[in-house]
Amino acid sequence: MTTGQNYDVVVVGAGFSGLYMLHRLREAGYSTRVYELADDVGGTWYWNRYPGARCDVESVFYNYTFSVEILNEWTWSARYAEQPEILRYINFVADKLDLRRDIQFNTRIESAHYDEATNRWNITTDEGTPVSAKYFITAVGCLSASNVPHFKGLENFEGEWYHTGRWPHEKVDFEGKHVGVIGTGSSGIQSIPAIAKEAKHLTVFQRTPQYSTPAHNKPYDPDRLKQIRENFDEVKEEMRYSLTGMPGAPRDRSALDDSPEERQRVFEAAWEKGGLMNLSYTYNDINVNAEANETLASFIRSKIREIVKDPEVAAKLMPDFYYATKRPIIDTDYFETYNRDNVSLVSVKNAPIEEITSTGIRTTEKEYELDMIVFATGFDAMTGPLFKMDIRGKDGVSLQEKWDDGAQLKTYLGLATTGFPNMFMITGPESPSVLSNMMVSIEQHVEWISECIEYMEKNGAQTIEANVEAEDDWSSHCREVAEATLFTKTDSWYMGANIEGKPRGFQIYLGGVGPYRQICDDVAAKGYEGFSLT
Ligand code: NA7
């Protein structure tokens, strides 16, 4: 017998996914409680407040589409909105739908244990009150477990240090300071130009040079906004059935079918347009054919060489992995920043960071005096946020044990996993998630889960659980699709390779947002094929 609070559904996280999940469930009449560690809504956009933080999906496509009213009441200022504007948007939605009254902030979910006797989830929080729910839904995001690598001596550092994914709410003042940034993923590449403008000196510690291409960010032209608004039904349909959840598709042509001159023309045009997918979409074999990939990779390298004036610095900035097998990055003046007198680049590939000292960073080659260190060192992606909670399914088996820390990652559709009845993961591992426009994937999962719960309740079902076979097939399918691409050939956070000791394996479904939606819809249409309902 459970004492404490009882709900139909408990949702963990009040970012984009948790908020929409709450809205859907509440509208359908289920008692729902959301728990959130932060003191307010926003998820990713609450935590990632570093200077220069912005979304790399075009603003008009990176918002909720479920309500025409919300769509029409919000106007984005620029092609790529900055973090404060996105957070304002999330707050606007939370206020409009009056969501806060069902969210408990400042609360960490410690554990969620499935009780086979009652078919309910027993959940504990850090504030003590036991909670129970029929359904347990994780809306914890894919990139929320920030990773500060275990550098020796960090505790001795006498200056300030921050991780980009846990940035303070107060303004961080770089003025007159010697700042070090470790990491050149999206967060590093977005923050480096902004920090360089303020700091006395900025030293970038780079392990892997990146392909980054111009965002060409600009204020929105009102005519473009009007046109998208007027045609939003079609735009929405295109996004939902596309490859990545954004309008557009790869051109139906191999990069190897064009002459070098023609390719150059095509790449130049895409570079001028800017944006996340324009270069990848120039040809249909960039992600699957090494030779095709190299044509684009070498084009970007030539651009870096053109932009960066010092040839030695440019040489250090040359990436040599397959383009897009680490998250492609779009930037504003990233490579240009290395032409500034107050910026220096240190490659830590061959001379790694050995120690953080009381006054700075010591690599195996040299010591750098710093007043402040910014860790742009990424996240324990996909499984990290789930493993932060002690989630136990049938027979007391923990999710971490079942997945053998990720080595045996297994899900059905990235939505559920065998042995964990009535638990759903929004944008979980082995769903398109981070390789798609998250907003499209979030809405698809939230709607699928709501309909599934609706179906269960109408049919008087107590539990839903993925079958072993269906799960095996889905996980094998995910691996096969990934193996047919170049993505698995590079060490990346997609592969779990950025975290010491984390098993390698591709954690995302690459079959495309449209085909994935179709598969999920078919499963539902067949009475939740691959699941057992009791
Ligand atoms: P990323 O993309 O994981 O980037 C982290 C960066 O930090 C990357 O350059 C890493 O180099 C570097 N890193 C990590 N550990 C170390 C150590 N120990 N020493 C030196 N350098 C290190 O995280 P972001 O926050 O930039 O972006 C995450 C996602 O958020 C992004 O892809 C978008 O989807 C939004 P490495 O490449 O591992 O050699």
Side-chain angles (χ1 to χ4, degrees):
M1 171 90 184
T2 313
T3 52
Q5 291 155 351
N6 299 309
Y7 299 100
D8 294 327
V9 191
V10 157
V11 178
V12 193
F16 272 122
S17 50
L19 293 179
Y20 183 34
M21 193 75 247
L22 169 61
H23 174 63
R24 281 292 293 233
L25 293 168
R26 229 171 50 176
E27 290 291 288
Y30 300 110
S31 66
T32 307
R33 189 72 165 165
V34 175
Y35 292 90
E36 167 58 58
L37 179 62
D39 64 8
D40 207 345
V41 296
T44 286
W45 300 105
Y46 172 94
W47 296 107
N48 286 269
R49 296 169 179 253
Y50 58 85
R54 59 178 83 235
C55 187
D56 56 11
V57 173
E58 192 178 335
S59 307
V60 283
F61 309 126
Y62 191 79
N63 44 214
Y64 290 121
T65 66
F66 66 85
S67 156
V68 177
E69 204 179 318
I70 291 176
L71 267 172
N72 290 338
E73 280 181 19
W74 186 264
T75 302
W76 292 107
S77 67
R79 187 179 183 192
Y80 298 104
E82 280 193 77
Q83 174 271 339
E85 189 175 359
I86 302 173
L87 192 57
R88 275 202 303 280
Y89 170 77
I90 300 174
N91 276 277
F92 152 73
V93 177
D95 290 340
K96 186 169 174 65
L97 302 177
D98 190 18
L99 296 175
R100 283 191 178 80
R101 67 185 153 90
D102 288 311
I103 306 172
Q104 186 171 319
F105 293 105
N106 298 306
T107 306
R108 178 191 292 280
I109 296 293
E110 305 268 0
S111 69
H113 293 180
Y114 183 70
D115 180 352
E116 281 167 79
T118 57
N119 291 330
R120 289 179 72 83
W121 283 90
N122 294 329
I123 295 147
T124 61
T125 68
D126 58 355
E127 53 86 58
T129 319
V131 179
S132 117
K134 178 168 178 183
Y135 301 98
F136 175 63
I137 300 178
T138 62
V140 290
C142 304
L143 295 159
S144 53
S146 53
N147 165 47
V148 178
H150 299 290
F151 290 118
K152 185 178 148 204
L154 178 57
E155 65 285 0
N156 302 326
F157 184 59
E158 283 167 5
E160 300 160 60
W161 70 266
Y162 305 99
H163 186 279
T164 47
R166 282 286 182 278
W167 201 260
H169 287 215
E170 310 71 48
K171 179 171 164 37
V172 173
D173 191 6
F174 301 103
E175 200 120 343
K177 302 221 168 94
H178 285 83
V179 182
V181 172
I182 307 175
T184 51
S186 303
S187 308
I189 284 181
Q190 289 186 336
S191 58
I192 285 164
I195 297 173
K197 281 187 198 143
E198 274 190 46
K200 185 162 179 25
H201 192 88
L202 170 63
T203 309
V204 177
F205 296 86
Q206 169 197 268
R207 188 163 66 183
T208 309
Q210 269 280 10
Y211 298 100
S212 186
T213 61
H216 292 317
N217 195 21
K218 55 182 177 214
Y220 261 131
D221 171 359
D223 287 343
R224 172 157 169 80
L225 286 180
K226 189 165 168 265
Q227 194 211 356
I228 290 178
R229 236 177 226 174
E230 285 172 0
N231 297 296
F232 205 79
D233 285 347
E234 285 148 51
V235 173
K236 180 172 164 179
E237 211 50 17
E238 191 183 347
M239 283 156 69
R240 288 178 154 210
Y241 289 95
S242 65
L243 190 64
T244 56
M246 289 168 256
R251 201 158 61 106
D252 194 15
R253 186 173 178 81
S254 162
L256 307 177
D257 287 344
D258 274 348
S259 65
E261 296 72 29
E262 176 58 11
R263 270 199 308 263
Q264 181 74 14
R265 198 192 60 73
V266 168
F267 290 150
E268 284 286 357
W271 178 275
E272 277 317 306
K273 264 193 183 169
L276 189 62
M277 299 314 295
N278 282 326
L279 275 155
S280 292
Y281 279 180
T282 46
Y283 297 104
N284 61 11
D285 50 358
I286 298 290
N287 290 336
V288 292
N289 180 313
E291 213 183 318
N293 189 286
E294 177 52 27
T295 62
L296 176 50
S298 64
F299 169 80
I300 299 173
R301 281 185 222 115
S302 73
K303 286 290 186 187
I304 301 172
R305 243 176 255 117
E306 252 171 59
I307 299 168
V308 179
K309 291 192 183 124
D310 181 336
E312 270 180 43
V313 178
K316 282 194 228 167
L317 287 165
M318 291 300 143
D320 62 359
F321 54 91
Y322 296 120
Y323 174 72
T325 55
K326 277 176 184 271
R327 171 90 172 188
I329 298 170
I330 56 174
D331 70 85
T332 301
D333 296 338
Y334 174 63
F335 292 113
E336 288 80 352
T337 297
Y338 292 99
N339 294 333
R340 295 176 66 104
D341 293 336
N342 70 333
V343 175
S344 39
L345 176 65
V346 175
S347 171
V348 293
K349 183 100 189 158
N350 300 319
I353 295 170
E354 210 169 40
E355 188 178 357
I356 311 271
T357 65
S358 59
T359 54
I361 290 179
R362 186 155 52 74
T363 69
T364 52
E365 264 173 3
K366 205 177 154 189
E367 188 157 349
Y368 301 85
E369 300 261 308
L370 300 167
D371 305 307
M372 193 189 280
I373 303 175
V374 173
F375 291 89
T377 42
F379 302 87
D380 182 353
M382 313 306 295
T383 52
L386 294 167
F387 290 167
K388 279 189 153 186
M389 298 174 283
D390 177 27
I391 301 176
R392 287 176 190 270
K394 283 156 83 177
D395 301 323
V397 174
S398 84
L399 190 63
Q400 206 158 347
E401 276 162 21
K402 181 196 164 183
W403 287 347
D404 190 14
D405 240 335
Q408 289 295 322
L409 179 64
K410 272 191 186 168
T411 75
Y412 183 35
L413 305 171
L415 272 162
T417 186
T418 312
F420 295 76
N422 295 5
M423 170 178 148
F424 298 105
M425 298 171 288
I426 304 177
T427 64
E430 298 188 336
S431 73
S433 66
V434 290
L435 279 164
S436 71
N437 175 357
M438 285 298 276
M439 294 307 295
V440 173
S441 290
I442 285 170
E443 284 194 337
Q444 186 245 333
H445 268 187
V446 167
E447 286 158 18
W448 191 95
I449 293 167
S450 317
E451 281 157 26
C452 176
I453 290 178
E454 210 46 13
Y455 178 90
M456 286 185 60
E457 296 304 311
K458 272 199 187 119
N459 289 285
Q462 280 304 306
T463 64
I464 181 165
E465 184 184 352
N467 298 336
V468 176
E469 256 178 38
E471 176 170 275
D472 282 348
D473 288 351
W474 180 254
S475 294
S476 310
H477 173 58
C478 284
R479 279 193 291 276
E480 271 165 32
V481 175
E483 282 302 333
T485 70
L486 299 169
F487 280 92
T488 54
K489 317 282 183 281
T490 298
D491 281 348
S492 66
W493 60 257
Y494 300 146
M495 292 288 291
N498 63 326
I499 301 296
E500 228 180 289
K502 186 168 176 171
R504 304 283 159 101
F506 202 75
Q507 308 179 83
I508 304 138
Y509 180 56
L510 266 175
V513 159
Y516 174 78
R517 176 184 291 271
Q518 198 62 60
I519 295 168
C520 293
D521 288 351
D522 286 350
V523 164
K526 290 178 187 156
Y528 296 90
E529 189 181 45
F531 287 96
S532 292
L533 278 75
T534 62

